[in-house]
Amino acid sequence: PFLQRSWRLEEIRPNMLDVFYRQPADIEACRKLLGDEFVFNTHGDTLTADVSIRACDKATGVDLMIRRLGFNTADTIAIGDGYNDITMLERVGYGIAMGNAVPELKAKASYITDPIFSDGLSHAFAHLGLIETT
């Protein structure tokens, strides 16, 4: 239902897009074409990437939520796995990288949990004391 089959360029106001490509060289060509204004979050061997605007990243969203909800940054937690999560983990009080995360994100994390398909979220929540495991 999210696939737009017919559109006019002047009507598009995206804040993020997905790219499907045939070979790794294609994504490099996209990076060169679009420049440093965008973050390319590649998804490993799937030959897909989501592309977001560098100036409006997940850290911007964290800042908005902190201000709107009146939280203290030290009391915030974020969990991620891709390049587009790096600024978010740098912004919060405690950053968790999934076990399947890109190495650059793992380097920024306070804690690395198991991969997403190995109950990584559950293990992260248990590590934080948010849930009890049996």
Coordinates of all heavy atoms in Angstrom, one line a residue, residues 23-100:
Q23 N 24.0 -3.8 -8.1 CA 25.3 -4.2 -7.7 C 25.9 -3.1 -6.8 O 25.4 -1.9 -6.9 CB 26.2 -4.4 -8.9 CG 26.3 -3.2 -9.9 CD 27.0 -3.5 -11.2 OE1 27.5 -4.6 -11.4 NE2 27.0 -2.6 -12.1
P24 N 26.9 -3.4 -6.0 CA 27.4 -2.4 -5.0 C 27.8 -1.1 -5.7 O 27.7 0.0 -5.1 CB 28.5 -3.1 -4.3 CG 28.1 -4.5 -4.4 CD 27.4 -4.7 -5.7
A25 N 28.3 -1.2 -6.9 CA 28.8 0.1 -7.6 C 27.7 1.0 -7.8 O 27.9 2.2 -7.9 CB 29.5 -0.3 -8.9
D26 N 26.4 0.5 -7.9 CA 25.3 1.4 -8.2 C 25.0 2.3 -7.0 O 24.7 3.5 -7.2 CB 24.0 0.5 -8.4 CG 24.1 -0.3 -9.7 OD1 24.9 0.1 -10.6 OD2 23.3 -1.3 -9.8
I27 N 25.2 1.8 -5.8 CA 24.9 2.6 -4.6 C 26.0 3.7 -4.5 O 25.8 4.8 -4.0 CB 24.7 1.8 -3.3 CG1 24.0 2.6 -2.2 CG2 26.1 1.3 -2.8 CD1 22.6 2.9 -2.5
E28 N 27.2 3.3 -4.9 CA 28.3 4.3 -4.8 C 28.0 5.5 -5.8 O 28.3 6.6 -5.6 CB 29.7 3.7 -5.1 CG 30.1 2.7 -4.0 CD 30.1 3.3 -2.7 OE1 30.5 4.5 -2.5 OE2 29.6 2.6 -1.7
A29 N 27.5 5.1 -7.0 CA 27.1 6.1 -8.0 C 26.0 7.0 -7.4 O 26.0 8.3 -7.6 CB 26.6 5.5 -9.2
C30 N 25.0 6.5 -6.7 CA 24.0 7.3 -6.0 C 24.6 8.2 -5.0 O 24.2 9.4 -4.9 CB 23.0 6.4 -5.3 SG 21.8 5.6 -6.4
R31 N 25.5 7.7 -4.2 CA 26.2 8.6 -3.2 C 26.9 9.8 -3.9 O 26.8 10.9 -3.4 CB 27.2 7.8 -2.4 CG 26.6 6.9 -1.3 CD 27.7 6.3 -0.5 NE 27.2 5.6 0.6 CZ 27.4 4.3 0.9 NH1 28.1 3.6 0.2 NH2 26.8 3.7 2.0
K32 N 27.6 9.5 -4.9 CA 28.3 10.6 -5.6 C 27.3 11.6 -6.2 O 27.5 12.8 -6.2 CB 29.2 10.0 -6.7 CG 30.4 9.3 -6.2 CD 31.3 8.8 -7.3 CE 32.5 8.0 -6.7 NZ 33.3 7.4 -7.7
L33 N 26.2 11.1 -6.8 CA 25.2 11.9 -7.4 C 24.5 12.8 -6.4 O 24.3 14.0 -6.6 CB 24.1 11.1 -8.1 CG 23.0 11.8 -8.8 CD1 23.5 12.6 -9.9 CD2 21.9 10.8 -9.3
L34 N 24.1 12.2 -5.2 CA 23.4 13.0 -4.2 C 24.3 13.8 -3.2 O 23.9 14.8 -2.6 CB 22.5 12.1 -3.4 CG 21.4 11.5 -4.2 CD1 20.6 10.5 -3.4 CD2 20.4 12.5 -4.8
G35 N 25.5 13.3 -3.0 CA 26.5 14.1 -2.2 C 26.4 13.8 -0.7 O 25.6 12.9 -0.3
D36 N 27.1 14.6 0.1 CA 27.2 14.5 1.5 C 25.9 14.9 2.3 O 25.8 14.8 3.5 CB 28.4 15.3 2.0 CG 29.7 14.7 1.6 OD1 29.7 13.4 1.3 OD2 30.7 15.4 1.5
E37 N 24.9 15.4 1.6 CA 23.7 15.9 2.2 C 22.8 14.7 2.7 O 21.9 14.9 3.5 CB 22.9 16.7 1.2 CG 21.8 17.4 1.7 CD 21.1 18.3 0.6 OE1 21.7 18.6 -0.4 OE2 19.9 18.6 0.8
F38 N 23.1 13.5 2.3 CA 22.3 12.4 2.5 C 23.1 11.3 3.2 O 24.3 11.1 3.0 CB 21.7 11.8 1.3 CG 20.8 12.8 0.6 CD1 21.3 13.7 -0.4 CD2 19.5 12.9 0.9 CE1 20.5 14.6 -1.0 CE2 18.6 13.8 0.3 CZ 19.1 14.7 -0.6
V39 N 22.4 10.5 4.1 CA 23.0 9.3 4.7 C 22.4 8.1 4.0 O 21.2 7.9 3.9 CB 22.6 9.3 6.2 CG1 23.1 8.0 6.9 CG2 23.1 10.5 6.9
F40 N 23.3 7.2 3.6 CA 22.9 5.9 3.0 C 23.0 4.8 4.0 O 24.1 4.5 4.4 CB 23.7 5.6 1.7 CG 23.4 6.5 0.6 CD1 23.9 7.8 0.5 CD2 22.6 6.0 -0.5 CE1 23.6 8.6 -0.6 CE2 22.3 6.8 -1.6 CZ 22.8 8.2 -1.6
N41 N 21.9 4.2 4.4 CA 21.9 3.1 5.3 C 21.7 1.8 4.5 O 20.6 1.4 4.3 CB 20.8 3.3 6.3 CG 20.9 2.3 7.4 OD1 21.9 2.0 8.0 ND2 19.7 1.7 7.7
T42 N 22.8 1.2 4.1 CA 22.8 0.0 3.3 C 22.4 -1.2 4.2 O 22.7 -1.2 5.4 CB 24.1 -0.3 2.6 OG1 25.1 -0.3 3.6 CG2 24.4 0.8 1.6
H43 N 21.7 -2.2 3.6 CA 21.2 -3.3 4.3 C 22.0 -4.6 3.9 O 21.3 -5.6 3.5 CB 19.7 -3.5 4.1 CG 19.0 -2.3 4.4 ND1 18.0 -1.7 3.6 CD2 19.0 -1.4 5.5 CE1 17.5 -0.6 4.1 NE2 18.1 -0.4 5.3
G44 N 23.3 -4.6 4.0 CA 24.1 -5.8 3.7 C 23.9 -6.3 2.3 O 24.0 -5.6 1.3
D45 N 23.8 -7.6 2.2 CA 23.7 -8.3 0.9 C 22.4 -8.2 0.2 O 22.2 -8.8 -0.9 CB 24.0 -9.8 1.1 CG 25.5 -10.0 1.6 OD1 26.3 -9.1 1.3 OD2 25.7 -11.0 2.2
T46 N 21.4 -7.4 0.7 CA 20.1 -7.3 0.1 C 20.1 -6.4 -1.0 O 19.1 -6.3 -1.8 CB 19.0 -6.9 1.1 OG1 19.3 -5.6 1.6 CG2 19.0 -7.9 2.3
L47 N 21.1 -5.6 -1.2 CA 21.2 -4.6 -2.3 C 20.1 -3.6 -2.2 O 19.5 -3.2 -3.2 CB 21.3 -5.3 -3.7 CG 22.5 -6.2 -3.9 CD1 22.4 -6.8 -5.3 CD2 23.8 -5.4 -3.7
T48 N 19.8 -3.2 -1.0 CA 18.9 -2.1 -0.7 C 19.5 -1.2 0.3 O 20.4 -1.5 1.0 CB 17.5 -2.7 -0.1 OG1 17.8 -3.2 1.2 CG2 16.9 -3.7 -1.0
A49 N 18.9 0.0 0.3 CA 19.4 1.0 1.3 C 18.2 2.0 1.5 O 17.4 2.3 0.6 CB 20.6 1.8 0.7
D50 N 18.2 2.5 2.8 CA 17.3 3.7 3.0 C 18.1 4.9 3.0 O 19.3 4.9 3.5 CB 16.4 3.5 4.2 CG 17.1 3.2 5.5 OD1 17.7 4.2 6.0 OD2 17.1 2.1 5.9
V51 N 17.6 6.0 2.5 CA 18.4 7.2 2.3 C 17.6 8.3 3.0 O 16.4 8.5 2.8 CB 18.6 7.6 0.8 CG1 19.4 8.8 0.7 CG2 19.2 6.4 0.0
S52 N 18.3 9.0 3.9 CA 17.7 10.1 4.7 C 18.5 11.3 4.6 O 19.6 11.3 4.2 CB 17.5 9.7 6.1 OG 18.7 9.3 6.7
I53 N 17.9 12.4 4.9 CA 18.5 13.7 4.9 C 19.4 13.9 6.1 O 18.9 13.8 7.2 CB 17.4 14.8 4.8 CG1 16.6 14.6 3.5 CG2 18.1 16.2 4.7 CD1 15.3 15.5 3.5
R54 N 20.7 14.2 5.9 CA 21.6 14.3 7.0 C 21.2 15.4 8.0 O 21.3 15.2 9.2 CB 23.0 14.6 6.5 CG 24.1 14.5 7.6 CD 25.5 14.7 7.0 NE 25.8 13.7 6.0 CZ 26.2 12.5 6.2 NH1 26.3 12.0 7.4 NH2 26.5 11.6 5.2
A55 N 20.6 16.5 7.5 CA 20.2 17.6 8.4 C 19.0 17.3 9.3 O 18.7 18.1 10.2 CB 20.0 18.9 7.6
C56 N 18.3 16.2 8.9 CA 17.1 15.9 9.7 C 17.1 14.4 10.0 O 16.4 13.6 9.4 CB 15.8 16.2 8.9 SG 14.3 16.0 9.8
D57 N 18.0 14.1 11.0 CA 18.2 12.7 11.2 C 17.5 12.2 12.5 O 16.7 12.9 13.1 CB 19.7 12.4 11.3 CG 20.4 13.2 12.4 OD1 19.7 13.8 13.2 OD2 21.6 13.2 12.4
K58 N 17.8 11.0 12.9 CA 17.1 10.5 14.1 C 17.5 11.2 15.4 O 16.7 11.3 16.3 CB 17.4 9.0 14.3 CG 16.7 8.1 13.2 CD 17.0 6.7 13.4 CE 16.3 5.9 12.3 NZ 16.4 4.4 12.5
A59 N 18.6 11.8 15.4 CA 19.0 12.6 16.6 C 18.1 13.9 16.7 O 17.7 14.3 17.8 CB 20.5 13.1 16.5
T60 N 17.7 14.4 15.5 CA 16.8 15.5 15.5 C 15.4 15.1 16.1 O 14.8 15.8 16.9 CB 16.5 16.0 14.1 OG1 17.8 16.3 13.5 CG2 15.6 17.2 14.0
G61 N 15.0 13.9 15.8 CA 13.8 13.3 16.4 C 13.9 13.1 17.9 O 13.0 13.4 18.6
V62 N 15.0 12.6 18.3 CA 15.3 12.5 19.8 C 15.2 13.8 20.5 O 14.5 13.9 21.5 CB 16.6 11.8 20.0 CG1 17.0 11.9 21.5 CG2 16.6 10.3 19.5
D63 N 15.8 14.8 19.9 CA 15.8 16.2 20.5 C 14.4 16.7 20.6 O 14.0 17.2 21.6 CB 16.6 17.1 19.7 CG 18.1 16.9 19.8 OD1 18.5 16.3 20.8 OD2 18.8 17.4 18.9
L64 N 13.6 16.5 19.6 CA 12.2 16.9 19.6 C 11.4 16.2 20.7 O 10.7 16.9 21.4 CB 11.6 16.7 18.2 CG 10.1 17.0 18.1 CD1 9.9 18.5 18.3 CD2 9.5 16.5 16.8
M65 N 11.6 14.9 20.8 CA 10.9 14.1 21.8 C 11.3 14.6 23.2 O 10.4 14.7 24.1 CB 11.1 12.6 21.6 CG 10.4 12.1 20.3 SD 8.7 12.4 20.2 CE 8.1 11.3 21.5
I66 N 12.6 14.8 23.4 CA 13.1 15.2 24.7 C 12.5 16.5 25.1 O 12.0 16.7 26.3 CB 14.6 15.3 24.7 CG1 15.2 13.9 24.7 CG2 15.1 16.1 25.9 CD1 16.7 13.8 24.5
R67 N 12.5 17.5 24.2 CA 11.9 18.8 24.5 C 10.4 18.7 24.7 O 9.8 19.2 25.7 CB 12.1 19.7 23.3 CG 13.5 20.3 23.3 CD 13.6 21.5 22.4 NE 13.1 21.3 21.1 CZ 13.8 20.8 20.1 NH1 15.0 20.4 20.2 NH2 13.2 20.7 18.9
R68 N 9.7 18.0 23.8 CA 8.2 17.9 23.9 C 7.7 17.2 25.2 O 6.8 17.5 25.8 CB 7.7 17.1 22.7 CG 6.3 17.1 22.4 CD 5.6 18.3 22.0 NE 6.1 19.0 20.9 CZ 5.6 19.0 19.6 NH1 4.5 18.3 19.4 NH2 6.1 19.7 18.7
L69 N 8.5 16.1 25.6 CA 8.0 15.3 26.7 C 8.7 15.8 28.0 O 8.4 15.2 29.1 CB 8.3 13.8 26.5 CG 7.6 13.2 25.3 CD1 8.0 11.8 25.0 CD2 6.1 13.3 25.5
G70 N 9.7 16.6 27.9 CA 10.4 17.2 29.1 C 11.3 16.2 29.8 O 11.6 16.2 31.0
F71 N 11.9 15.3 29.0 CA 12.8 14.3 29.5 C 14.2 14.9 29.7 O 14.5 15.9 29.1 CB 12.9 13.1 28.6 CG 11.7 12.2 28.5 CD1 11.6 11.3 27.5 CD2 10.7 12.2 29.5 CE1 10.5 10.4 27.4 CE2 9.6 11.4 29.4 CZ 9.5 10.5 28.4
N72 N 15.0 14.2 30.5 CA 16.4 14.5 30.7 C 17.1 13.6 29.7 O 16.9 12.4 29.7 CB 16.8 14.3 32.1 CG 18.3 14.6 32.4 OD1 19.1 14.5 31.5 ND2 18.5 15.1 33.5
T73 N 18.0 14.1 28.9 CA 18.8 13.3 27.9 C 19.4 12.1 28.6 O 19.5 11.0 28.0 CB 19.8 14.2 27.2 OG1 19.1 15.3 26.6 CG2 20.5 13.4 26.1
A74 N 19.9 12.3 29.8 CA 20.6 11.2 30.5 C 19.6 10.0 30.7 O 20.1 8.8 30.8 CB 21.2 11.6 31.8
D75 N 18.4 10.2 30.7 CA 17.4 9.2 30.9 C 16.8 8.5 29.7 O 15.8 7.8 29.7 CB 16.2 9.7 31.8 CG 16.6 10.2 33.1 OD1 17.6 9.6 33.7 OD2 16.0 11.2 33.6
T76 N 17.4 8.8 28.5 CA 16.9 8.3 27.3 C 17.7 7.1 26.8 O 18.9 7.0 27.1 CB 16.9 9.4 26.2 OG1 18.3 9.9 26.0 CG2 16.0 10.5 26.6
I77 N 17.1 6.2 26.1 CA 17.7 5.0 25.5 C 17.3 4.9 24.0 O 16.2 5.2 23.7 CB 17.1 3.8 26.2 CG1 17.4 3.8 27.7 CG2 17.7 2.5 25.6 CD1 16.6 2.8 28.6
A78 N 18.2 4.5 23.2 CA 17.9 4.2 21.8 C 18.5 2.9 21.4 O 19.6 2.5 21.9 CB 18.4 5.3 20.9
I79 N 17.9 2.2 20.5 CA 18.4 0.9 20.0 C 18.4 1.0 18.5 O 17.5 1.5 17.8 CB 17.5 -0.2 20.4 CG1 17.3 -0.3 21.9 CG2 18.0 -1.6 19.8 CD1 16.3 -1.3 22.4
G80 N 19.5 0.6 17.9 CA 19.6 0.7 16.4 C 20.6 -0.4 15.9 O 21.2 -1.2 16.6
D81 N 20.6 -0.4 14.5 CA 21.5 -1.4 13.8 C 22.2 -0.8 12.6 O 23.1 -1.5 12.1 CB 20.7 -2.6 13.5 CG 19.6 -2.4 12.5 OD1 19.4 -1.2 12.1 OD2 18.9 -3.4 12.1
G82 N 21.8 0.4 12.1 CA 22.3 0.9 10.9 C 23.1 2.2 11.0 O 23.1 2.8 12.0
Y83 N 23.6 2.6 9.9 CA 24.3 3.9 9.8 C 23.4 5.1 10.2 O 23.9 6.0 10.8 CB 24.9 4.1 8.4 CG 25.9 3.1 7.9 CD1 25.6 2.1 7.0 CD2 27.2 3.1 8.5 CE1 26.5 1.1 6.7 CE2 28.1 2.1 8.1 CZ 27.8 1.2 7.2 OH 28.7 0.2 6.8
N84 N 22.2 5.0 9.8 CA 21.2 6.1 10.1 C 20.9 6.2 11.6 O 20.2 7.1 12.0 CB 20.0 6.0 9.3 CG 19.2 4.7 9.6 OD1 19.7 3.7 10.1 ND2 17.9 4.7 9.2
D85 N 21.4 5.2 12.4 CA 21.2 5.2 13.9 C 22.4 5.8 14.6 O 22.3 6.0 15.9 CB 20.9 3.8 14.4 CG 19.6 3.2 13.8 OD1 18.6 4.0 13.7 OD2 19.7 2.1 13.4
I86 N 23.5 6.1 14.0 CA 24.7 6.6 14.7 C 24.4 7.9 15.4 O 24.7 8.0 16.6 CB 25.9 6.7 13.7 CG1 26.3 5.3 13.2 CG2 27.0 7.4 14.4 CD1 27.3 5.3 12.1
T87 N 23.9 8.9 14.8 CA 23.7 10.1 15.5 C 22.7 10.0 16.6 O 22.8 10.7 17.7 CB 23.2 11.2 14.5 OG1 21.9 10.8 13.9 CG2 24.2 11.5 13.5
M88 N 21.7 9.1 16.5 CA 20.7 8.9 17.6 C 21.4 8.3 18.8 O 21.2 8.7 19.9 CB 19.6 7.9 17.1 CG 18.6 7.5 18.1 SD 17.3 6.5 17.4 CE 18.2 5.0 17.0
L89 N 22.3 7.3 18.6 CA 23.0 6.7 19.7 C 24.0 7.7 20.4 O 24.2 7.6 21.6 CB 23.7 5.4 19.3 CG 23.1 4.1 19.7 CD1 21.7 4.0 19.0 CD2 23.9 2.9 19.4
E90 N 24.5 8.6 19.6 CA 25.4 9.6 20.1 C 24.6 10.6 21.0 O 25.2 11.2 21.9 CB 26.1 10.3 19.0 CG 27.1 9.5 18.3 CD 27.7 10.2 17.1 OE1 27.0 11.1 16.5 OE2 28.8 9.9 16.7
R91 N 23.3 10.8 20.7 CA 22.5 11.8 21.4 C 21.9 11.3 22.7 O 21.7 12.1 23.6 CB 21.4 12.2 20.4 CG 20.5 13.3 20.9 CD 21.3 14.6 21.0 NE 22.0 14.8 19.7 CZ 21.9 15.7 18.8 NH1 21.1 16.7 19.1 NH2 22.5 15.8 17.7
V92 N 21.6 10.0 22.8 CA 20.8 9.6 24.0 C 21.8 9.3 25.1 O 23.0 9.2 25.0 CB 20.0 8.3 23.7 CG1 18.9 8.6 22.6 CG2 20.9 7.2 23.2
G93 N 21.2 9.0 26.3 CA 22.0 8.7 27.5 C 22.6 7.3 27.4 O 23.7 7.1 27.9
Y94 N 21.9 6.4 26.8 CA 22.3 5.0 26.8 C 22.0 4.4 25.4 O 20.8 4.3 25.1 CB 21.7 4.2 27.9 CG 22.3 2.8 28.2 CD1 23.5 2.8 28.9 CD2 21.8 1.7 27.6 CE1 24.1 1.5 29.2 CE2 22.4 0.5 27.9 CZ 23.5 0.4 28.7 OH 24.1 -0.8 28.9
G95 N 23.0 4.1 24.6 CA 22.7 3.6 23.3 C 23.0 2.1 23.2 O 24.1 1.6 23.6
I96 N 22.1 1.4 22.5 CA 22.2 -0.1 22.4 C 22.3 -0.4 20.9 O 21.5 0.1 20.1 CB 21.0 -0.8 23.0 CG1 21.0 -0.5 24.5 CG2 21.1 -2.3 22.7 CD1 19.7 -1.1 25.2
A97 N 23.3 -1.2 20.5 CA 23.5 -1.7 19.2 C 23.0 -3.1 19.1 O 23.3 -3.9 20.0 CB 24.9 -1.6 18.7
M98 N 22.3 -3.4 18.1 CA 21.9 -4.8 17.9 C 23.1 -5.6 17.5 O 24.1 -5.1 16.9 CB 20.8 -4.9 16.7 CG 19.5 -4.2 17.0 SD 18.7 -4.6 18.5 CE 18.3 -6.3 18.1
G99 N 23.1 -6.9 17.7 CA 24.3 -7.8 17.4 C 24.6 -7.8 15.9 O 25.7 -8.0 15.5
N100 N 23.6 -7.5 15.1 CA 23.7 -7.5 13.6 C 24.0 -6.1 13.1 O 24.0 -5.8 11.9 CB 22.5 -8.0 12.9 CG 21.2 -7.2 13.4 OD1 20.8 -7.4 14.5 ND2 20.7 -6.4 12.5

